[in-house]
Amino acid sequence: MNVLMETQMLPLLSGQGWFANLQNDLYTAFFKIGGLKLLFNGLKVTLLVSAVAVLIGVAVGFILALMKLTETKKGHRTVLSTIAGIYIDIIRGTPSLVQLMIVYFIIFKSQASLLAGMISFGLNSGAYVAEIIRGGILSVNKGQMEAGRSLGLSYGMTMRYVIVPQAIKTILPALGNEFIVLIKETSVISFIGVADIMKAGQFMVSRTYKAFIPYITIAIIYYIIIKILSLLLNAFERRLRKNDTR
């Protein structure tokens, strides 16, 4: 009896049994049930949702920023600035998951989950992008607006050709950070049935009854994506600072 137990424990104590089990789990998760393909397809969905949401967020955020800037232009609160302020306050004060559920179940009536996710995260991102754009525009010296107007340019033309181009240097790095945050936030889109990378991991767990490999793999994938984007963003910021010193 003791001899048999020692024989069974020997591979485990030497590490061979653990390594063999890990190899078997990796093969089962990635190849036997097609987990590798599921993760790749899910990654494409995650990046697609994030990219479209950023585009929607930039468009919505730019409009909201202009609406809020009417308060600065007029010197007092306006109807447009009030509407924009209320929207931003509500969006920033409620969880993105709750907003996703409202858009999907109430507005889209539990249909078009992918589109609902894009719009929901886009509208959510727009509230944050609005403050980024507004802050970037306000960071430009007031003398630039006065110089543009003195040259005979209208307010809109001065904003378009003088203020906004200078504000972009401040806005773009912050928008890059918003894109990074948005990629991580889209992980909750699996709650409405979208086959993103998190949904792929949940499927793998349901088939193998083991959560370690799927979720650790997802965490590594997210980390690699965010790390690459962060490095690109840092390189871009260094280039902008270099151009400013010339």
Side-chain angles (χ1 to χ4, degrees), residues 108-185:
F108 279 83
K109 307 296 183 182
S110 302
Q111 297 179 357
S113 58
L114 183 62
L115 180 60
M118 293 175 178
I119 293 177
S120 175
F121 286 110
L123 295 177
N124 177 274
S125 179
Y128 297 91
V129 171
E131 292 300 288
I132 293 173
I133 294 176
R134 188 176 70 89
I137 291 175
L138 292 177
S139 68
V140 178
N141 192 290
K142 293 181 180 180
Q144 298 295 315
M145 174 62 74
E146 296 173 357
R149 298 304 298 272
S150 67
L151 293 174
L153 299 177
S154 65
Y155 178 83
M157 294 178 65
T158 305
M159 287 290 292
R160 179 179 178 183
Y161 295 110
V162 180
I163 304 299
V164 173
Q166 297 181 58
I168 285 178
K169 289 186 177 182
T170 304
I171 292 172
L172 287 181
L175 286 180
N177 287 327
E178 172 63 19
F179 186 42
I180 289 174
V181 172
L182 191 59
I183 290 178
K184 293 185 289 186
E185 284 188 347

Side-chain angles (χ1 to χ4, degrees), residues 80-231:
L80 292 178
S81 67
T82 301
I83 294 173
I86 292 174
Y87 177 88
I88 293 172
D89 186 58
I90 292 175
I91 294 297
R92 296 176 67 177
T94 55
S96 58
L97 178 58
V98 175
Q99 297 166 15
L100 177 64
M101 295 301 179
I102 291 174
V103 172
Y104 178 61
F105 289 109
I106 298 177
I107 298 177
F108 279 83
K109 307 296 183 182
S110 302
Q111 297 179 357
S113 58
L114 183 62
L115 180 60
M118 293 175 178
I119 293 177
S120 175
F121 286 110
L123 295 177
N124 177 274
S125 179
Y128 297 91
V129 171
E131 292 300 288
I132 293 173
I133 294 176
R134 188 176 70 89
I137 291 175
L138 292 177
S139 68
V140 178
N141 192 290
K142 293 181 180 180
Q144 298 295 315
M145 174 62 74
E146 296 173 357
R149 298 304 298 272
S150 67
L151 293 174
L153 299 177
S154 65
Y155 178 83
M157 294 178 65
T158 305
M159 287 290 292
R160 179 179 178 183
Y161 295 110
V162 180
I163 304 299
V164 173
Q166 297 181 58
I168 285 178
K169 289 186 177 182
T170 304
I171 292 172
L172 287 181
L175 286 180
N177 287 327
E178 172 63 19
F179 186 42
I180 289 174
V181 172
L182 191 59
I183 290 178
K184 293 185 289 186
E185 284 188 347
T186 55
S187 60
V188 301
I189 202 173
S190 61
F191 280 86
I192 61 174
V194 177
D196 70 329
I197 190 171
M198 276 298 298
K199 196 68 174 180
Q202 292 169 2
F203 176 81
M204 293 168 64
V205 172
S206 68
R207 293 292 302 275
T208 62
Y209 298 101
K210 295 182 179 179
F212 178 79
I213 291 177
Y215 289 137
I216 290 297
T217 302
I218 291 172
I220 292 173
I221 292 174
Y222 271 113
Y223 177 78
I224 292 174
I225 295 172
I226 301 305
K227 192 65 177 179
I228 292 173
L229 289 176
S230 298
L231 292 174

Side-chain angles (χ1 to χ4, degrees), residues 28-99:
T28 301
F30 292 142
F31 300 103
K32 189 174 181 179
I33 65 171
L36 198 61
K37 183 178 180 180
L38 288 173
L39 289 172
F40 179 73
N41 291 334
L43 176 61
K44 292 192 293 185
V45 173
T46 295
L47 295 178
L48 174 63
V49 171
S50 301
V52 174
V54 164
L55 294 177
I56 296 174
V58 169
V60 173
F62 188 75
I63 295 173
L64 292 172
L66 293 180
M67 291 171 65
K68 288 207 70 177
L69 285 171
T70 58
E71 181 177 343
T72 303
K73 180 184 177 182
K74 299 292 185 179
H76 59 82
R77 187 180 295 273
T78 64
V79 175
L80 292 178
S81 67
T82 301
I83 294 173
I86 292 174
Y87 177 88
I88 293 172
D89 186 58
I90 292 175
I91 294 297
R92 296 176 67 177
T94 55
S96 58
L97 178 58
V98 175
Q99 297 166 15

